[in-house]
Amino acid sequence: MQRVTISGVQIFFESEEQAAGKLVERACERTARLLEQEWSLPVPQDCRVYVMTSVTGFMFQSAPWMWRFIMAVTMPVWYFKAKRLWQFAGGWVQRFGNRLAIGVKPPRLIQKSDRRMGERIFLKEENPEIKVEHITCHELTHAYSAHLRPPAWFNEGLAMRMVDKYFGKCTVREDTLDLLGEGSPKQVAKRYRFLSRQDQAALVNLYVRAYWLIRYLETEYPELFASLLASRHSHAELEAKVARALDIPTNKFWENVDRKLIAHFQTKPQVA
């Protein structure tokens, strides 16, 4: 397996996946620079990116030696969950203690993934090589912000917003604003374990709210946004700080925030 280090991030790929490895290298270099310049996020202590071609291959290759025995013993617990995720995810982050391992599929496997949920959220992109860069940027942003232990909505919003910056344009469909407001859930899941991959409506709502809220905070409340990235906050504290800044009662935040987002973005030109 070949290894390259870019901006403090180690990248691994088999020799036959060299073309995909180059795409990941380029995406890591650009994303790392943007994360430092735009948000002052530090390089993770041990961050690795793998061009992954199978679930078990990625999980065992990326795990430290001591973890591999544990994974072998617990394989019936995690394998089927990872296999379901494989069907539609182009990549993901796996934590092994202090190590953050990112798996990114090569273009040919991204083309075979179930893209129906993603197409409800993101602008259509037919070029699988560009999708590799999109996914690498998204997942690397998760790794860079992992030390904050953010709630799911903050975590996903950051990653989606960084992809905008990477490409210099909006990558989320403007009509996703129509999913907010009346009829949308009055709460969002703060932790991923409360989300079922089978409930695509809840997942889409999480991503949509996350994107528009993070974009709103970054552009309209830059000092607050910077403070949220500067140090770790409990999920309740983070949500309370945002609610106070937006002048919304904390206990009714998710019931009322959609109206602010809709009112703001439906009257603004859509620029990255």
Side-chain angles (χ1 to χ4, degrees), residues 20-265:
K22 291 294 183 184
L23 292 172
V24 171
E25 286 180 41
R26 182 169 66 193
C28 284
E29 183 176 23
R30 178 167 174 76
T31 304
R33 184 170 65 251
L34 286 169
L35 287 164
E36 195 282 325
Q37 290 176 350
E38 296 282 336
W39 295 344
S40 301
L41 288 173
V43 182
Q45 177 183 348
D46 183 1
C47 183
R48 304 180 178 207
V49 184
Y50 294 77
V51 175
M52 64 176 181
T53 55
S54 74
V55 171
T56 53
F58 165 64
M59 294 294 282
F60 281 99
Q61 287 172 347
S62 63
W65 283 104
M66 291 297 293
W67 280 78
R68 295 181 187 183
F69 172 75
I70 298 171
M71 294 191 54
V73 172
T74 61
M75 191 170 176
V77 176
W78 59 263
Y79 176 75
F80 292 104
K81 180 180 178 181
K83 194 71 173 177
R84 287 196 300 269
L85 184 61
W86 176 268
Q87 295 173 9
F88 63 88
W92 68 79
V93 180
Q94 185 68 40
R95 180 187 283 274
F96 299 105
N98 291 327
R99 176 176 298 177
L100 293 163
I102 299 169
V104 179
K105 289 179 179 177
R108 70 180 187 281
L109 294 182
I110 287 175
Q111 286 292 80
K112 296 178 180 178
S113 298
D114 184 343
R115 293 175 283 169
R116 287 174 295 179
M117 189 176 79
E119 288 175 352
R120 294 174 62 185
I121 301 168
F122 301 103
L123 292 171
K124 196 167 186 178
E125 177 53 68
E126 296 292 352
N127 187 332
E129 294 186 353
I130 292 177
K131 289 180 182 178
V132 168
E133 293 187 65
H134 180 141
I135 292 162
T136 303
C137 176
H138 186 109
E139 302 303 336
L140 192 61
T141 303
H142 284 330
Y144 267 64
S145 60
H147 65 286
L148 299 173
R149 302 293 177 112
W153 66 268
F154 196 83
N155 196 39
E156 294 302 336
L158 288 179
M160 294 166 76
R161 182 62 178 147
M162 183 48 62
V163 173
D164 280 0
K165 294 177 180 292
Y166 183 99
F167 289 106
K169 63 181 182 180
C170 301
T171 56
V172 171
R173 291 171 48 169
E174 185 178 347
D175 64 1
T176 56
L177 277 169
D178 297 337
L179 300 176
L180 302 180
E182 294 299 325
S184 63
K186 301 304 181 186
Q187 282 291 333
V188 297
K190 298 178 178 62
R191 299 183 186 276
Y192 289 100
R193 68 173 181 267
F194 298 137
L195 285 164
S196 167
R197 292 289 172 183
Q198 306 303 315
D199 188 354
Q200 290 201 1
L203 281 167
V204 169
N205 182 267
L206 168 71
Y207 279 85
V208 169
R209 265 181 166 161
Y211 171 78
W212 291 108
L213 180 52
I214 288 295
R215 184 168 158 180
Y216 182 54
L217 293 175
E218 186 195 22
T219 56
E220 302 302 314
Y221 298 87
E223 292 184 4
L224 169 66
F225 183 73
S227 75
L228 298 178
L229 293 178
S231 61
R232 183 178 172 184
H233 300 77
S234 71
H235 293 185
E237 180 187 7
L238 188 150
E239 190 172 305
K241 289 183 73 170
V242 173
R244 284 195 298 271
L246 274 57
D247 195 26
I248 299 174
T250 303
N251 62 343
K252 295 186 177 180
F253 179 70
W254 295 109
E255 294 179 32
N256 293 280
V257 70
D258 288 1
R259 287 198 295 270
K260 282 189 178 286
L261 298 176
I262 293 168
H264 178 76
F265 286 107

